[in-house]
Amino acid sequence: MEQTRALNALEPFLALSKAATSPRAAADLVTQATSAANTYVFAELLQAPTIQGLRASPEYAGHLRLLEVFSWGTWQDYTTAQPSLPALSPAQAHKLKLLSLLPLAADPANLTYASLSTKLEIGTTRALEDLLITAIHSGLIAGTLNPAAARVAITSAAPLRDLRPGAAPGMTAALGAWRARCDDSLAELEAQIAGVKAAASERAALKAREDRLRAKVEEKLDEQSKAGGKRGERGQPAVQAQREDEDDAMEVDEGEGVEAGQGRSTRSSKRGAFGGRAR
């Protein structure tokens, strides 16, 4: 979104660059572009043939270098090279300080009020806070001010700075290092996932063995229970028959005893009546 807005703001100056055939006209175009609101990227204007032609002009070559500072430099770069660069208008100075916040936001050590005031050469806290508020409202940075701690918390910065010449190899190396860290992290995650899967497989195998063992034990117990029931059924009739035989034997013994007693009594009475001895 910020890039689209910045490119749209640069479009009129790109059209004017085709007609700026004289060094003076090209230099004036640089001044206008760096002073205008919402123009935060300048790579396409910097590559325009009429602007590159300023490099051969002893009088206006400084405007080309000034545009390079606005493209990828900072306020400190400008102050270092200032004797050979054109003086800035208040609008240009404000714009360059806004752009300088973007690279400074990458290092949290730069985000104290004291550090920002020094690097941007801002004399008062109020002026610094006004600059930061403008940067936030313009979408250059996202963050919050903390006046109590005298610092600003920046969560993101818009990708609006052009690449400095020779910065590509360093950026490629940084991206390569980042990719290597991502590969290492991915390999570590895959190893952890493999370990979790192996542990889960081992637990599943152990549970399967336990289930098989439990099933065998239950099956054996069922067989033993059934076998014990059959033995009990076979033994009960024999005991009952034995008890019935014992009862029959007792009844026979009792009958014989009664009959014997009756016989003795009858014989005794007969002897007493007929042949017995009188008392």
Side-chain angles (χ1 to χ4, degrees):
M1 180 65 72
E2 293 81 6
Q3 287 180 325
T4 301
R5 188 186 306 121
L7 290 173
N8 290 337
L10 189 64
E11 282 294 333
F13 302 100
L14 292 175
L16 291 173
S17 67
K18 298 176 182 179
T21 55
S22 66
R24 182 180 179 86
D28 290 342
L29 186 60
V30 169
T31 301
Q32 294 173 23
T34 54
S35 303
N38 299 324
T39 52
Y40 297 114
V41 292
F42 306 95
E44 291 186 65
L45 182 61
L46 186 61
Q47 295 170 2
T50 54
I51 301 300
Q52 285 294 318
L54 293 174
R55 197 178 302 276
S57 173
E59 184 178 0
Y60 297 106
H63 286 77
L64 177 61
R65 291 194 294 272
L66 179 64
L67 187 58
E68 291 175 346
V69 171
F70 272 84
S71 294
W72 57 71
T74 64
W75 180 262
Q76 290 180 311
D77 294 330
Y78 171 77
T79 56
T80 301
Q82 199 276 328
S84 62
L85 298 179
L88 298 179
S89 66
Q92 287 176 308
H94 184 70
K95 171 73 68 64
L96 185 55
K97 289 180 180 181
L98 285 173
L99 292 173
S100 298
L101 286 172
L102 299 179
L104 292 175
D107 187 358
N110 295 327
L111 301 183
T112 62
Y113 282 11
S115 177
L116 291 173
S117 297
T118 300
K119 294 180 182 300
L120 300 177
E121 295 185 355
I122 298 177
T124 65
T125 300
R126 179 58 184 273
L128 176 63
E129 289 181 341
D130 288 344
L131 181 73
L132 292 170
I133 291 171
T134 300
I136 292 172
H137 287 309
S138 300
L140 297 178
I141 60 174
T144 55
L145 304 183
N146 187 351
R151 66 181 298 114
V152 57
I154 297 178
T155 56
S156 65
L160 294 177
R161 302 314 308 274
D162 300 317
L163 285 179
R164 185 187 297 270
M171 182 174 291
T172 302
L175 290 174
W178 174 76
R179 178 179 178 179
R181 291 194 299 269
C182 291
D183 291 340
D184 293 341
S185 300
L186 182 60
E188 183 178 354
L189 287 174
E190 290 178 348
Q192 292 178 358
I193 292 173
V196 170
K197 289 182 177 179
S201 177
E202 184 176 354
R203 288 194 301 270
L206 179 60
K207 185 178 183 303
R209 289 196 296 270
E210 291 176 351
D211 291 342
R212 290 195 297 270
L213 179 60
R214 186 181 297 109
K216 290 181 179 179
V217 171
E218 291 175 353
E219 183 180 358
K220 187 173 183 180
L221 290 175
D222 289 342
E223 292 176 355
Q224 291 177 352
S225 176
K226 292 178 180 179
K230 292 179 179 179
R231 286 195 298 270
E233 292 175 357
R234 289 194 300 270
Q236 183 176 359
V239 172
Q240 185 175 359
Q242 182 178 359
R243 289 178 179 177
E244 290 176 355
D245 293 340
E246 290 176 356
D247 291 340
D248 294 340
M250 291 176 64
E251 290 177 359
V252 170
D253 292 341
E254 289 176 357
E256 291 177 354
V258 170
E259 291 177 356
Q262 290 177 353
R264 286 192 299 269
S265 174
T266 301
R267 286 191 298 271
S268 298
S269 61
K270 287 180 179 181
R271 284 195 301 269
F274 298 101
R277 188 176 297 171
R279 291 183 181 180

